[in-house]
Amino acid sequence: MNWQEFTALLVLATAMSFSPGPNTTLATALAANHGLRRAMPFVCAVPVGWGVLLSLCALGLGALLLAIPLLGLAIKFIGVAYLLWLASKIARSRQLSEADAERMNVGFWQGAALQFVNIKAWMLALAIVGGWIAGRSDPGLRFAVVLPVMLAYAFASNLLYALAGSLLREWLSGPAGSGRRLVWFNRAMAAVLVATAIWMLFL
C-alpha cells in the first residue's frame, strides 16, 4: 500500500468515524446519563464488533450481501427497528436516576452486535474491502494494515464522544439536580437516532 492509498484511507476513516452516527450518539448519551465508566464497555465494543464485521466482509460476506439484495434489506430494517427502539429508551430517561440499566441497557455485547445492523458500519466495511483489499495482489498484508488503523479510529471517535457526554453530565443534571436539561439532551439524542434510522431507510 503506497502513501497515497494510505492517506485516502485515513481521510475516509476520519470522515466516517468522527461524523455523528448510531455509535457516537449512543456513546454520548450513555456517558451523559451514566458517566464515562459505564459507557466504556460500549466504547470498547464498537471496534471489536466492527473489526469482526470488516474481517467477515474481507472473507466474502460483503460479496454475499451484494449478491443477495434481500439480505441487505433485512439488515437495514432490523437496524432501523433497533435504532428506533433505542431512541425510545433514551427519550424516556428524564432524570439521571431514571437512566438505569433497565432503561438504557446497551452493554458490550449489544454494542458489538449493533455493528451488524448498522448500515453506516456496513457501508464503511464494504468501501474499505472494495477499495483497499479485494482484488489486490497482497490482500492479507493490506488487511493487516487496514484493520488496526480502523480499530483505532473506531475506539478514538467513540471515546471522544463519550468524553464530551461525561463532561456535560453535571451541567445536564441542572439546578438542584432537577434534570430538566437532561430531558432535552436525551430527546435530542433520540431525535438523532431517529434521523439516522430514516437516513438508513433511503440508502
Side-chain angles (χ1 to χ4, degrees), residues 1-200:
M1 184 182 300
N2 58 40
W3 69 268
Q4 292 98 332
E5 289 179 299
F6 189 71
T7 300
L9 176 67
L10 296 182
V11 170
L12 176 65
T14 302
M16 292 294 284
S17 299
F18 287 93
S19 57
N23 292 327
T24 53
T25 302
L26 283 171
T28 307
L30 286 169
N33 285 272
H34 294 299
L36 183 60
R37 179 178 295 181
R38 288 281 299 278
M40 285 307 296
F42 177 81
V43 170
C44 294
V46 172
V48 171
W50 194 83
V52 173
L53 176 62
L54 178 63
S55 301
L56 291 175
C57 284
L59 291 172
L61 181 60
L64 180 64
L65 182 68
L66 295 175
I68 307 176
L70 285 178
L71 182 58
L73 282 175
I75 292 172
K76 178 183 291 188
F77 286 118
I78 291 171
V80 167
Y82 187 59
L83 289 182
L84 292 175
W85 178 78
L86 287 174
S88 71
K89 291 286 187 179
I90 294 173
R92 292 201 301 269
S93 295
R94 299 180 178 275
Q95 298 177 20
L96 290 175
S97 60
E98 291 182 352
D100 54 23
E102 293 182 359
R103 192 174 294 278
M104 290 180 62
N105 185 18
V106 186
F108 182 88
W109 294 114
Q110 281 185 297
L114 173 62
Q115 308 318 303
F116 289 85
V117 292
N118 181 351
I119 298 301
K120 185 179 178 183
W122 278 102
M123 289 173 58
L124 180 56
L126 292 173
I128 288 175
V129 171
W132 280 267
I133 299 173
R136 306 288 180 152
S137 60
D138 54 347
L141 181 60
R142 285 172 172 268
F143 181 78
V145 172
V146 168
L147 182 62
V149 170
M150 298 308 302
L151 294 184
Y153 268 82
F155 178 77
S157 61
N158 285 280
L159 178 60
L160 180 64
Y161 276 83
L163 282 170
S166 67
L167 291 174
L168 289 171
R169 181 172 165 80
E170 184 175 348
W171 180 80
L172 288 171
S173 66
S178 64
R180 291 179 181 177
R181 293 169 182 162
L182 183 68
V183 171
W184 291 105
F185 175 83
N186 284 337
R187 288 175 179 172
M189 293 294 99
V192 171
L193 287 179
V194 171
T196 302
I198 294 172
W199 169 73
M200 285 170 55

